[in-house]
Amino acid sequence: MTVDMDNADRPKPKGHSMKQEEAAGAVHPRVPKVSKPTLKNDTGSREVRVVSHKHTPLFFSRWEMTPTDMLALLAISVVAVVVRCYGLSTPGSVVFDEVHFGKFAGKYINGTYFYDLHPPLAKMMFAVAGKLAGYDGVFDFKSIGLDYHAAGVPYVAMRLMPALLGAVTVPASFVVARACGYAADTAALAALLVCFENGLVTQSRLILLDSPLVFFTVLSLTAWSMFWTKQGQPFSRAWWFWLLTTGAMMGCAASCKWVGLFLFPAIGLSTVSDLWDKIADLSITPAKWVSHLAARAVGLLAVPFAVYMLWFYVHFAVLSKTGDGRAMMTPEFQAGLEGGLNVTTDRDVFYGSEIRIRSSNAASGYLHSHTHNWQHEKGSGQQQITLYSFADQNNIWVVEPAFNKTIDTSNGPVPVSDGDLIRLRHKITDKYLHSHDKKPALSSEDHKFELSGYGFPGFDGDSNDNFRVEILSGDKAMEGSDKTVQSIYTRFRLIHRNLGCAVFNSRKKLPKWAFEQIEVNCMRNCRPKMSTWHVEFARLPADNSTGANNDIGADAQKGAGVRKARYRPLSVWGKIGEYNRLMANSNAHLTGDHPFAARPHHWPWLRRGTAYWGGLGNVIYQLGNPPVWWASFAAVAILFGMRVVLFLLDKRQISVTLGGQRRRYFSAAGFFAMAWICHYVPFFLMGRELFIHHYFPALWMAILVLAFTLDLLTSRMPSVVRWSVYIAAAAVTLYGFHTFSYITYARMWTKDACVRAKWLSTWDFDCEHAIGGARSTKSPETLTSPPPPPSLVVDIPAADAELQKAPAEPKPAEARAVTATPGGPKHVHVKPKFINTESTLLESVSNAEHAEL
C-alpha cells in the first residue's frame, strides 16, 4: 500500500495551476526522490513512500514587482492613508501619553535636557514634525485634557506623522506576502487585515511611540523578506541593499523602544539556520561561506549598532542645555551640559574640612539634615538624616576625629585616609551623624538601622557617632585617591563602628513630615552600589576647631597653593553608556498597580484594553479588532499544532505535503510565527508593568500567519469557494472595525450602542461618557461630532528660565504652567479620569531614586 496524501491524480482547482503560481513568483520545491522499503507482516507486504522535506529558513521566491502589483499597492496605500488619517483633529486636547511625548518634543525644540526610559528616535521624529509645523516648544502638555486650540499647538501635524507611518505598514504587508511567494489575493487580504485593525489604527493616530516602533519593525521584516528574493544573486547590489536596509531598520526600531531588540533573535535564528544549511551546500566553498557570515555580521550587527549610536549622538547634540532630567544623571554627565553642574573644590579632605557628601549612584543626592525630628513610631525622635537632591547649607558636614580620639595637627592638616574612624558633625545644627538599635522610618528588617542627628550642648557624643572610612576606588589619574579621601575622585563607604552597617541610600520617599525626601539608613550586608559616596565639595576653614595649621586654612580660603578638583565631563560614549544603564534600571523597576495594565497571557484573546480619553459623548479606548486578534492567534496555534502532527507523521514515514504547499507555508508562515514568539514570549519574563500596546509588533506578525494559513486552507479549493472565504474574512474584519470605530476615532455614540459593543465583560470602556451617560451633557438625539474650533495662533510669553538652584526647603517650587492667552475659543471639557502609563510609572521610579526633580 502506498501512503501519499498529496496524490498526483487529485484534481487541481481551477485558477490555481502550478504555472500560474510560478508566474506569481513562487518557487516550488522539486519532487524529492522516493525510496520504497518493503515492510512485511502477517498481512503481507506494503509499500510506504518516504518523502524528505528540506528545511529552509525563509521561503525562496524570485518575485519581482509587476505593474499590477504597483497598481494594487497604490490603491492599498490610498485606503490606508484615509483610514489612519481620518479625523486626526478629534479630540482637540491632550490624550493619554501625549502628556509626555508631546512635552519631550518641546524639550528637543528648546534644546533642554530631559530623561526618558525609552531611546530617542521616535521622540525626535515628533520634534521634527512639530518644528516643521511651527510648534515653538512652549506648550507644556501638562495634563490630559489640555486644549490644543486655545494654545495654537499644531497637534494635527504632529499626529499626522505617526498616522502616515502606520499607513505605510499596510502596503508593506502586501509586499511581504508577495515576497514570500504568495499570490496577490492573499497579499491583499493580509494588507486589509492590517489596515482595519482598530488597535493599530488607534495607536498610530496619537503622539505615541508605538507607531514608529511598529513602522520600523515592519520595514525590517519587509527588507528581510526582499533580501530573500535575492538569494539567487548573492553579493549583488540588490542583495547588499536589502541586507543593509534590514540592519538599518533594525537599528531604528531599537532606537524607538527596546522592544525593537526582539528583531535580533527573530532574524538571527533565520540567519543561523541559513548559514547552517549553506555548510552542507558543496557548491559553496569555505571562503565563500565565510564571506556570507561576514556580510551578515556587518549588515545585521554592525549596521544596527551604528544606527543606534548615531541617534543617541544626535540626541545629546540637540539636548545641550541643562534641564529637569539632570537629577537622574551622574555629576560627570551633568558637567557636560550647558549651565549644568560646575563644581570646583579643594581636592584634599582633611580633619576639620567642611564637606558636602553625595551619593554616587546615577540618581544622586546629598547627605542632609535639618531641624526636624523623626516622627515614626519605632524611631528615636532624634533629628532627621535624609538624602536631598539640591545643594544647600543643610548638606554641609565637618569632619572630626572619632569619639575620645585626637589628631596631631602640629605639622599641618591631616588627610582622611582609608580605614580612619571619623565623626561627621552637621554644621548648621551641631548634631553628629549617629546610628543605634532603632528602626528606620520605612523599614523594619533586623539588618537596617536608623540614622539620626544626635547631640546637645555640653555633650561630647558617644561611640555610636563613629564611622569607618572604607575606600572602594580612586581615579587612576589622581595619585593617592585610592588611599586618602579626595573630593570627586575617591569613592568610599561609611561603616558604623559598633553596628557594622553601611550608610545606605534606600531610594524610598519619606512621608510629608520628612518633606518627601529620600530615606537614608544604616544597612548591614548591603551592596556597594547604593552605599557608595563621594565628597563633592570640601573646604578647610582658617579657624577650624581641630587645631590645624591656620596658615594652611587661610591659604585654603584664598585658594592659594591648594590643589583643586572638578568633575570631568563624560565623552559622548560615556553619556550613551550611562543613559542606557539608567534606562535598563528604570525599566527593571517600572512596577506598579496601573488600573489598565494587562499581563501577556491576556493579550492574544483581547481580555481588556486601555482607556485613553473621555469627552462629552465620546471616548478613546485602546482595543483591537476582536475577529482579527482571535483569528490571528488561532492561526499561530494551528501552525504549531500542524508542525507537531506532521513531525509525528514523518516519524511514521507518512508523507503529507499539504497540497504542495508545505515547504512554502512552514518556511514563510513558520518564520513569522517564530518572530511572533520572539516578540511575545519574552514579556512573560518581565516583572515590569505591561500594557496591551506591547503586543502590537507580535500582532502584525500573527496577522501575516493568519493570511498565509487561509491561503493554505483554501489552496486546493475551487476558486469560487476560495474567494468566498476571503470575502467572508474581509467582511468580518470590516464589521469588527466599524463596530469599534467609535472608540478608535472618538466618534459620538449612544450609551446603548456602547453597552452592546461590550462583547466581553472585561472590556471596561466607560459608557457613561457616551450620549445619554452620566458624564455626557449631550442629548441622545445628538449623533454627530461638531467640527473642532479653528486653530488660533496666540502669543504665549516665554517660560521663565529654569532655576539652577533649589529654593528653600521643604520642597522646590514647581515651575509655573504656561497658560493660553485669554480670548481664544471656549472649550468645554470634562476632566478625564484616565491615567497615562509608562512615563507616569517612571515618575514613581524617579521619586524612589532621587528626592525631587
Side-chain angles (χ1 to χ4, degrees), residues 188-200:
L189 178 63
L192 181 143
L193 294 173
V194 173
C195 183
F196 294 100
E197 202 299 292
N198 297 70
L200 295 175

Side-chain angles (χ1 to χ4, degrees), residues 671-692:
F671 168 76
F672 285 100
M674 183 56 64
W676 176 85
I677 289 176
C678 293
H679 282 77
Y680 176 55
V681 172
F683 287 108
F684 286 92
L685 307 177
M686 299 182 187
R688 58 156 289 177
E689 197 97 55
L690 296 171
F691 301 87
I692 196 172

Side-chain angles (χ1 to χ4, degrees), residues 390-410:
F390 295 96
D392 67 12
Q393 291 300 311
N394 279 328
N395 303 335
I396 301 299
W397 302 83
V398 179
V399 181
E400 294 187 0
F403 176 67
N404 283 339
K405 184 178 180 181
T406 59
I407 296 294
D408 183 8
T409 59
S410 59

